[in-house]
């Protein structure tokens, strides 16, 4: 059975990979997690790799360039920086780092060689993206301390995340020796170490729960350290537990509702009462289904579970801080103490 809250073991991680089925709010959760991990004066980096500029939209900033920029101040004086990893820029950076191509690399870009290279060897794309993330995790300042206390990666959704992270296979397909091999080996070392935790975002609905459980099994079989299941958009229950099943089955006593409202001094028309009954049934059906999905989740995995509330008015910068506070209240934000060298 899963446990609620953020266990101490996850505080040792510095790379937090966030994935989930499309539509579950994984980018929002990744942003809230980055804010929570930055609380108390820490520094986090929020990274996206899918070219959607989802982070910029959430934080209401201009599109992010291929450089680290501060996008938020966390409670307690911490800061969140963001980076949108561009494949072409990462490849040119790679050329400069390992081959000292400089201007020649930019010429290759104009010639279309970058697109050609990543099309010819699709695995190279993921090696470059994860390689940049690994570099951010392992980067040190002049005193030898990690530049970032935590790096949060808004990763591809459940259907693609294992292939994206599995650079071991990409490395085997690309090269047996040389710089690409070394780059991929360094990524593998970080991704399969206690430095990394892969978190799954789900809704309490059948399909997202199914994909979450299947992806957890796939991640475990591939040797990736799975972190927590983060249940997003948890709905507040209005009805007492004893009334949910009956209301979900359509058994709502409209006469009782009318008399209850009348005793409170409210005499409402019949059509309004009918509307309230319909809303009650709809709410009960959703709550009943979510309870069943939660039970299934608890019975199928022993992973820790965090919960985030349903945001009635949608997501904006203020609500991101509310979600971050909800994560902090569940234990997120303890400083990391473990590290793996590059």
């Amino acid at each position: 059975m899963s446990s609620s809250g953020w266990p101490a073991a996850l505080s040792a991680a510095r790379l937090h990979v966030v994935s989930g089925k499309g539509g579950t709010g994984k980018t929002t959760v990744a942003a809230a997690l980055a804010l929570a991990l930055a609380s108390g004066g820490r520094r986090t980096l929020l990274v996206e790799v899918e070219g959607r500029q989802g982070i910029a939209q959430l934080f209401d900033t201009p599109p992010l360039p291929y450089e680290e920029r501060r996008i938020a101040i966390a409670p307690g004086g911490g800061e969140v920086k963001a980076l949108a990893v561009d494949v072409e820029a990462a490849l040119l950076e790679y050329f400069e780092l390992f081959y000292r191509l400089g201007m020649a690399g930019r010429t290759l870009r104009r010639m279309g060689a970058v697109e050609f290279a990543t099309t010819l060897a699709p695995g190279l794309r993921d090696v470059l993206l994860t390689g940049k993330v690994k570099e951010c995790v392992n980067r040190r300042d002049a005193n030898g301390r990690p530049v970032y206390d935590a790096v949060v990666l808004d990763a591809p959704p459940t259907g693609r995340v294992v292939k994206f992270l599995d650079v071991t296979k990409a490395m085997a397909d690309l090269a047996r020796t040389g710089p690409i091999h070394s780059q991929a080996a360094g990524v593998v070392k970080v991704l399969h170490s206690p430095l990394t935790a892969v978190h799954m975002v789900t809704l309490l609905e059948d399909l997202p729960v199914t994909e979450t459980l299947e992806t957890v099994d796939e991640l475990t079989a591939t040797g990736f350290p799975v972190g927590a299941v983060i249940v997003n958009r948890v709905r507040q229950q209005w009805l007492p537990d004893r009334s949910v099943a009956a209301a979900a089955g359509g058994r709502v006593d409209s006469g009782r509702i009318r008399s209850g409202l009348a005793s409170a001094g409210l005499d409402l028309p019949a059509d309004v009462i009918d509307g309230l009954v319909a809303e009650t049934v709809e709410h009960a059906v959703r709550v009943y289904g979510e309870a069943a999905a939660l039970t299934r989740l608890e019975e199928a995995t022993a992973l820790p579970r965090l919960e985030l509330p349903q945001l009635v008015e949608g997501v904006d910068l203020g609500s991101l801080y509310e979600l971050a506070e909800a994560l902090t209240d569940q234990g997120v934000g303890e400083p990391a103490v473990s590290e793996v060298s590059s």
Side-chain angles (χ1 to χ4, degrees), residues 94-111:
Y94 171 85
F95 283 155
E96 173 61 22
L97 179 63
F98 291 106
Y99 297 104
R100 300 290 189 267
L101 289 184
M103 290 296 294
R106 287 186 282 277
T107 301
L108 287 174
R109 185 178 198 169
R110 288 196 297 272
M111 293 171 57

Side-chain angles (χ1 to χ4, degrees), residues 182-199:
S182 301
Q183 172 85 327
V187 173
V188 170
K189 186 175 183 180
V190 169
L191 290 180
H192 290 268
S193 78
L195 261 186
T196 297
V198 184
H199 309 293

Side-chain angles (χ1 to χ4, degrees), residues 16-31 33 47 49-50 52 152-165 197-203 208 211-213 215-216 218-219 226-232:
H16 298 269
V17 180
V18 180
S19 182
K21 178 176 168 54
T24 58
K26 70 176 181 66
T27 300
T28 299
V29 172
L33 181 60
V47 182
V49 292
E50 295 185 280
R52 296 185 298 106
V152 178
L153 171 60
D154 179 20
T158 48
R160 295 191 288 114
V161 68
V162 175
K163 182 179 179 181
F164 171 78
L165 295 174
V198 184
H199 309 293
M200 301 303 303
V201 179
T202 188
L203 304 179
E211 286 204 19
T212 293
L213 295 175
T215 305
V216 166
E218 194 176 355
L219 287 165
V226 185
V229 174
I230 304 175
V231 182
N232 195 22

Side-chain angles (χ1 to χ4, degrees), residues 177-331:
T177 60
I180 292 178
H181 179 93
S182 301
Q183 172 85 327
V187 173
V188 170
K189 186 175 183 180
V190 169
L191 290 180
H192 290 268
S193 78
L195 261 186
T196 297
V198 184
H199 309 293
M200 301 303 303
V201 179
T202 188
L203 304 179
L204 290 179
E205 299 173 2
D206 188 58
L207 204 53
V209 167
T210 296
E211 286 204 19
T212 293
L213 295 175
E214 289 175 348
T215 305
V216 166
D217 288 343
E218 194 176 355
L219 287 165
T220 302
T222 319
F224 294 108
V226 185
V229 174
I230 304 175
V231 182
N232 195 22
R233 302 176 195 160
V234 175
R235 198 181 311 275
Q236 184 178 0
Q237 184 174 320
W238 303 336
L239 299 170
D241 290 341
R242 66 180 182 275
S243 302
V244 170
R251 298 188 300 276
V252 179
D253 189 343
S254 58
R256 186 176 178 184
I257 292 177
R258 180 183 294 279
S259 61
L261 291 171
S263 66
L266 296 173
D267 185 15
L268 300 179
D271 61 331
V272 175
I273 298 293
D274 291 342
L276 290 173
V277 169
E279 286 188 22
T280 300
V281 171
E282 181 184 3
H283 173 73
V285 167
R286 289 180 179 175
V287 168
Y288 191 75
E290 289 177 355
L294 181 58
T295 298
R296 181 184 170 206
L297 197 61
E298 289 180 324
E299 291 177 348
T301 178
L303 292 173
R305 187 184 75 252
L306 305 176
E307 295 184 356
L308 291 173
Q310 170 88 350
L311 298 174
V312 178
E313 297 183 0
V315 180
D316 58 17
L317 187 56
S319 58
L320 280 180
Y321 281 90
E322 291 178 22
L323 294 176
E325 184 178 4
L327 291 173
T328 302
D329 290 343
Q330 294 172 80

